[in-house]
Amino acid sequence: MEVAQPSQVDTTGPAMETHKRLPKVQHIVPNHLVDDLKPQHLNRGVLIPLKTTQEVRQDHTIVHALITRAPTKSANEVIGALRESQAEGNGNTLPHLRRCAKPADLPAHLKTQFMNDTPIGRQIHTSKSNWIYIIVGEAKDFSNEQVVASLSAIEGLEQEPFLTTIPVPLLAPTSQVQAAMWSSQFWPTVYRKNNPLGPHPSMVARGTDEIKEDASLWITLAHRVAVQAKESGIGEAMGAVVIQRSENGTELVALAGDARWHQECGGLGLPSNPMTHCVLRAISMVAQKLVRHERRAAGIPITKPNLEYDAFQDSPLLELEKQCFEQEHPSQDGYLCHGLELYVTHEPCVECSMGILHSRMGKVVFCKHMPRTGGLSSDDRPDGGGRGLGLFWRRELNWSLLAWEWERDGVPDLPDVDPTTHV
C-alpha cells in the first residue's frame, strides 16, 4: 500500500484545529452512491460521545494539600514567600482550587475543625474575621520545616504559623455541579468550563452539531457495503465509509467492506487476514486516490503490482467499492486522512484503531460496540477481560480525535458476529 507523504503533521498534540475552523455544514455534495438514501436516512439515531480512560477511571483521585492562614493584609506577602520556598520547576498543581478562602467559605467540617483547634482559631471563626486561609500546594512538593521558616518571618502571623493538610481532588471538576459538590466537601473549587480528562465539552458539542444531521446517512452506506461483503463471501458483514467535510460541503471519499476471507490468506494457514479489515482497506483506498492524483499531476504512469496474493486486499472488490474508487478524491492536498471522518458499522479493533490514529483521522462514528475486542472505547471488558484502551484520546499518544457510538434508528440489523471477532 502506497501512502502519500505528509506535508506538515502535528505530532505534539490533538488535531483539533479542524473542528475550530470548519463552519457547520449541512450541504451534502450530490453523489449517486448516496442520493437515494437521503430522503429516509438523515437526522436519525443518537450520537453518544465516547468517554476517555481518565473519565472512566481517574476522576476521583485524592491527594493531600498543605494549607495555612494569615491576616488578609498579609496574604500577598505570604503567597510570595510560599512561591520562594517551592522547589524550582514545581508549578501550581491545583489550579482548580481557590488559592485563598475566607473562613466563612470553608466547608462545614473544616470550619468546625479549625474553630476548635486553638483559641485563636475560635476567635477567627466566631467574629468578623480579617483572616484568610491559603493553599500552599500539594504536601509532597513542600518541606513543612521550610514553609514554617518562611512564614515565621512575616509580621502579623501567629508565633507558630498554622499549617495543616487536607484531602483535595487532584484533577479539575468536569461540570459546575461537581465543582459545587467539591466546594462543600473539600475546598472552594472553580469550574473553568473545560475537561482535564478528555476533549473540551464545547469541542464535543460542536463536533456533534457538525455531524448529527448526516451521520445516519454515512452509517447506512457503511451498512450497505457491509451487506455486499457478506453476500459476496469475501468477508464478514462489516463496512467503513470515509468522508470529507469542508466549506464546499460534505463529500464521500472512500468506502470498503471487510475482505478477511478473500483468497483465504493465500494458503498461509491463518483463519482470517487482519490486514483486510474494512477500516484499513478504506484508509488504503484514500491513500491510493492521493497517490493516483500525484502521479497524474507529475505525468508518472499508474501501475499496480501483479501479486498472486495481496496481503492488504486493498483493491476494490465489491461493486460499491469500484464505483467509489473511480471517483476522484475531493481534495488532493494534505496528509492521508487528516481531518476526515470515518463511519463504521462496528467498533474498530486495536489494530484498526491505531491505523485510524496514524492516518490522522479527525472523527470516528461506529454503530455496534465491540466490548471484547474494540480499541476505541474505554469501558472495562466483560468477564475479566481487562480495561478498555480508549485509543481515541490518550495523553501518551501523539494524536487524538473525537469519537461517538451511534445508536441505531431505521437501519436494519446486520448478521450477528462472534463477540470475540476483531473488526
Side-chain angles (χ1 to χ4, degrees):
M1 178 179 69
E2 297 185 73
V3 180
Q5 296 300 312
S7 49
Q8 289 184 338
V9 179
D10 177 11
T11 59
T12 60
M16 294 296 109
E17 300 82 8
T18 302
H19 306 298
K20 297 178 181 179
R21 293 194 304 266
L22 292 182
K24 184 178 179 181
V25 175
Q26 302 297 336
H27 172 62
I28 300 172
V29 175
N31 189 314
H32 72 275
L33 296 178
V34 294
D35 289 342
D36 65 313
L37 300 176
K38 292 180 186 178
Q40 298 296 326
H41 294 285
L42 291 175
N43 293 303
R44 307 292 294 270
V46 177
L47 289 164
I48 304 173
L50 297 193
K51 290 184 177 296
T52 67
T53 54
Q54 287 190 308
E55 287 175 314
V56 170
R57 305 180 192 109
Q58 299 180 19
D59 55 345
H60 293 100
T61 302
I62 302 298
V63 297
H64 283 87
L66 276 176
I67 65 170
T68 186
R69 63 189 176 202
T72 303
K73 64 181 181 180
S74 303
N76 288 336
E77 191 176 355
V78 169
I79 292 173
L82 293 174
R83 285 174 178 162
E84 290 179 3
S85 67
Q86 193 171 15
E88 186 176 353
N90 284 346
N92 182 11
T93 59
L94 305 169
H96 53 289
L97 303 180
R98 294 193 183 279
R99 190 66 186 263
C100 302
K102 296 178 181 178
D105 295 333
L106 295 180
H109 69 282
L110 291 183
K111 291 180 188 176
T112 302
Q113 175 184 336
F114 299 156
M115 185 185 300
N116 296 321
D117 274 352
T118 62
I120 191 172
R122 190 173 301 109
Q123 179 183 355
I124 288 172
H125 285 271
T126 55
S127 61
K128 187 174 181 181
S129 180
N130 62 348
W131 285 68
I132 196 165
Y133 285 87
I134 302 170
I135 279 193
V136 178
E138 276 194 75
K140 68 179 181 63
D141 295 332
F142 292 86
S143 162
N144 284 24
E145 293 77 11
Q146 186 176 2
V147 172
V148 169
S150 299
L151 297 179
S152 298
I154 298 176
E155 184 179 354
L157 265 64
E158 302 165 68
Q159 288 185 345
E160 294 184 3
F162 173 86
L163 195 65
T164 190
T165 61
I166 60 170
V168 296
L170 174 62
L171 300 173
T174 58
S175 69
Q176 188 66 56
V177 172
Q178 191 174 50
M181 182 176 66
W182 286 357
S183 294
S184 64
Q185 293 179 346
F186 300 104
W187 183 269
T189 305
V190 180
Y191 174 56
R192 304 188 187 280
K193 296 184 178 180
N194 64 356
N195 181 8
L197 311 176
H200 194 286
S202 65
M203 183 187 300
V204 177
R206 185 164 58 247
T208 303
D209 285 343
E210 288 174 352
I211 70 174
K212 66 182 180 181
E213 180 178 357
D214 56 25
S216 52
L217 175 70
W218 307 116
I219 286 288
T220 303
L221 183 58
H223 177 282
R224 179 174 284 184
V225 72
V227 171
Q228 276 197 12
K230 181 70 174 180
E231 291 178 346
S232 68
I234 68 169
E236 298 283 358
M238 302 165 182
V241 169
V242 179
I243 70 162
Q244 175 177 287
R245 195 179 303 271
S246 69
E247 60 274 6
N248 298 323
T250 305
E251 301 177 74
L252 176 64
V253 179
L255 57 80
D258 182 75
R260 69 187 63 201
W261 307 120
H262 189 58
Q263 290 190 348
E264 297 182 0
C265 290
L268 297 180
L270 300 176
S272 66
N273 183 357
M275 292 180 288
T276 60
H277 292 179
C278 59
V279 169
L280 295 186
R281 295 186 71 230
I283 292 173
S284 177
M285 290 181 188
V286 174
Q288 290 181 71
K289 285 190 174 185
L290 292 173
V291 171
R292 184 173 66 192
H293 169 76
E294 289 177 357
R295 291 192 171 185
R296 283 176 178 168
I300 302 173
I302 302 172
T303 58
K304 297 185 75 63
N306 182 16
L307 301 176
E308 182 179 352
Y309 171 69
D310 180 3
F312 290 96
Q313 301 297 334
D314 56 0
S315 297
L317 302 171
L318 306 171
E319 185 57 33
L320 276 175
E321 293 175 354
K322 294 174 182 177
Q323 293 181 38
C324 183
F325 191 73
E326 291 173 356
Q327 300 173 359
E328 294 300 321
H329 194 301
S331 175
Q332 287 84 19
D333 298 324
Y335 175 72
L336 197 46
C337 296
H338 187 277
L340 301 185
E341 299 173 14
L342 173 70
Y343 295 82
V344 60
T345 55
H346 299 69
E347 180 185 0
C349 65
V350 175
E351 173 200 48
C352 290
S353 296
M354 288 306 298
I356 290 167
L357 291 175
H358 288 308
S359 71
R360 300 301 190 250
M361 201 74 70
K363 299 186 182 82
V364 176
V365 179
F366 63 81
C367 186
K368 182 175 177 55
H369 176 41
M370 300 295 287
R372 296 178 186 271
T373 61
L376 293 180
S377 296
S378 304
D379 300 330
D380 289 348
R381 303 187 189 280
D383 304 326
R387 292 180 167 180
L389 297 177
L391 292 175
F392 80 101
W393 192 284
R394 293 190 65 117
R395 290 180 175 178
E396 62 268 40
L397 299 178
N398 66 358
W399 191 259
S400 301
L401 48 87
L402 298 180
W404 295 260
E405 181 178 355
W406 184 81
E407 284 201 345
R408 312 175 65 81
D409 181 10
V411 176
D413 288 333
L414 289 167
D416 290 334
V417 297
D418 189 284
T420 62
T421 301
H422 290 74
V423 180

